[in-house]
Amino acid sequence: MESSQGTVSQFTSNTIEVGTEQRIFNAALEVFSRKGKDGARMQEIADCAGINRALLHYYFRSKNKLYEAVFAHGFEQFINGLSQSLRSERSFESSLRTFVHGYMDYLCEHQDMARLMITECLSGGPVLESYLATAIAKREKLPGFLMEDRIRQAIEVGEIREVDSEHAMLTIVSACLFPFVALPTVRLFQPKAATDFEEFIAERKQHIVELILSGLRIP
Amino acid sequence: MESSQGTVSQFTSNTIEVGTEQRIFNAALEVFSRKGKDGARMQEIADCAGINRALLHYYFRSKNKLYEAVFAHGFEQFINGLSQSLRSERSFESSLRTFVHGYMDYLCEHQDMARLMITECLSGGPVLESYLATAIAKREKLPGFLMEDRIRQAIEVGEIREVDSEHAMLTIVSACLFPFVALPTVRLFQPKAATDFEEFIAERKQHIVELILSGLRIP
DNA sequence: GTCTATATCTCGATAGAC
DNA sequence: GTCTATCGAGATATAGAC
């Protein structure tokens, strides 16, 4: 139980010499994110990590502990990702572009984590909610809040038209995040999402920024 | 089935009496939609329906059959909901408003089904995909396709500016559907979603229609 | 640290009384 | 149709050899 505490925070995306604990960690994220906490099987995680089932219990005491560890790490990463880049004062257009691109870049790199949090949400999300609740206490850390403040500020200065900043923020997040949630389905409708994912994402970023900017422009 | 003339049943309410099979069905939808097919427990479904576990197997042979039945029914409902109302609209604004309001009304009434399909999506969605694939064959039945055609048509006539109709459609669906997926989280950020859900939805409909219309308006 | 073997428990499914 | 009791498969978790 000590071993997980000590090393979790030092995970890197280094390709050389990936340790057992991290392989377990990655595999767990992958499986949990697709099957949910209950649906996930320890055997599948072990197979995915290329090790024995018993090792899962050696590094993380139980399935519950493993899930908690995976979730906590991903959540931390999720919050800290965007916050810095949003603080600098620039035009609203520049802020929006920064947010959309940064958010979708994160989602591309951490699709597992996105699925995991959505799965949490769907199940009523007691774990996610407790994490969010404490995060909301320190309001300034959440990228979503930063961007929403930016919207309000832009309205005051007359940079964009008057809209409900909370709904606008929700719409922006939805437009960025939902395609990842529904990816298997999206692929059926938009073949490019299957054949050339990078280009699909690039197009999507541009579409969202343009649509929102145009939608918030003062008539 | 049998009419109890002499006894005043304490189970009947002012609503229409709902049979055991229907109660199982509703309970299964509720549980499957939150936990996913694997994560759901037959015991929980039975508890939720207020009956014994064995009865689940009496009405539906197995967990798999039960899931299939629930999914098939919900999916059918989902497709047929909007299609008619979309064929008869004139202006693009009117079509968009019809779609957004109709779609969100459906989602409000069938939040379980929305969750179920999202859960399917997240797990790779073989069941959903097979249903969608056959539905896509008869293209004209899907409301999403109808609306996307409507966007293309509006562009040709010069009613709205030139955009990628597929991305625009995806954005509209995202804006409508995602708030239901993330409802537990949204409630933390927008208290009104918890206290006055009806008003929150009404606001949301209006916001989406206005933002998209303004976003697609010809400069 | 990593494995095999096994104990323990949970869940889906069935049998049979009423 | 509905219940209680139980079986058997498969899952988590532990013990112990190496």
Side-chain angles (χ1 to χ4, degrees), chain A residues 183-201:
Chain A
L183 203 54
T185 302
V186 170
R187 277 197 246 265
L188 292 180
F189 292 74
Q190 299 202 38
K192 182 176 284 180
T195 58
D196 191 347
F197 188 66
E198 290 298 322
E199 175 153 347
F200 170 74
I201 293 297

Side-chain angles (χ1 to χ4, degrees), chain B residues 20 52-55 59:
Chain B
T20 301
N52 191 272
R53 226 168 52 236
L55 267 190
Y59 282 99

Side-chain angles (χ1 to χ4, degrees), chain A residues 185 188, chain B residues 71 75 117-118 120-121 125-133:
Chain A
T185 302
L188 292 180
Chain B
F71 188 85
F75 187 80
M117 299 221 277
I118 296 299
E120 259 295 312
C121 255
V127 180
L128 173 59
E129 278 190 39
S130 80
Y131 275 83
L132 269 177

